[in-house]
């Protein structure tokens, strides 16, 4: 049987997400925590983006929101998690960066061996 999971809340700190999940589980509501893009966690100050999401079953959505006294988030707030066209570009850029670093290290080691 297929179950629909919906994001109920978003967090920037894992302990807050765990606390809310524990409250829901004590009330008998099945839930789990999912992670978006962890690089968002390293943003400081007001620019910090939520990257931890609490999901509940669609049937439990309203009850869970009432229990946690949350204002449910809108799809547009989490659109970057579901469909982020820049995600693949960032992954490719990170791969090129780390590949360049390791390639440069290997080249320097070869040059050091040749010159010695």
């Amino acid at each position: 049987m297929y179950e629909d999971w919906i994001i109920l809340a978003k967090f920037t700190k894992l302990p807050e997400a765990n606390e809310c999940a524990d409250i829901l589980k004590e009330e008998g509501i099945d839930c789990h925590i999912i992670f978006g893009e962890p690089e968002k966690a390293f943003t400081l100050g007001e620019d910090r983006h939520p990257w931890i999401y609490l999901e509940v079953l669609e049937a439990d959505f309203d009850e869970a929101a009432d229990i946690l006294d949350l204002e449910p988030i809108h799809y547009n707030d989490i659109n970057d998690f579901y469909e982020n066209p820049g995600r693949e570009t960032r992954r490719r850029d990170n791969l090129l960066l780390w590949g360049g670093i390791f390639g440069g290290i290997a080249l320097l080691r070869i040059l050091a061996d040749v010159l010695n």
Side-chain angles (χ1 to χ4, degrees):
M1 182 173 137
Y2 179 75
E3 297 176 326
D4 288 327
W5 290 88
I6 298 178
I7 293 177
L8 174 69
K10 57 186 180 176
F11 305 91
T12 57
K13 297 177 183 171
L14 186 56
E16 293 173 358
N18 283 332
E19 183 180 332
C20 287
D22 289 342
I23 291 169
L24 292 178
K25 288 177 183 178
E26 287 175 4
E27 294 291 327
I29 295 178
D30 196 15
C31 64
H32 59 261
I33 295 171
I34 57 174
F35 298 93
E37 297 179 60
E39 63 267 11
K40 291 183 177 183
F42 300 110
T43 311
L44 300 176
E46 295 178 15
D47 294 335
R48 187 169 184 154
H49 297 282
W51 66 284
I52 303 166
Y53 302 92
L54 178 63
E55 281 191 331
V56 296
L57 291 170
E58 186 175 15
D60 296 329
F61 184 83
D62 292 331
E63 183 182 357
D66 288 342
I67 290 170
L68 296 178
D69 195 27
L70 293 175
E71 187 70 32
I73 59 175
H74 190 268
Y75 172 76
N76 291 336
D77 294 336
I78 57 171
N79 191 33
D80 64 328
F81 175 74
Y82 286 116
E83 295 178 11
N84 188 343
R87 181 180 299 170
E88 291 302 318
T89 302
R90 282 192 304 279
R91 288 181 180 165
R92 186 180 63 240
D93 290 347
N94 287 341
L95 179 62
L96 290 173
L97 172 69
W98 287 108
I101 289 172
F102 289 120
I105 290 170
L107 181 61
L108 287 175
R109 293 210 53 184
I110 292 170
L111 286 174
D113 289 343
V114 169
L115 295 176
N116 285 335

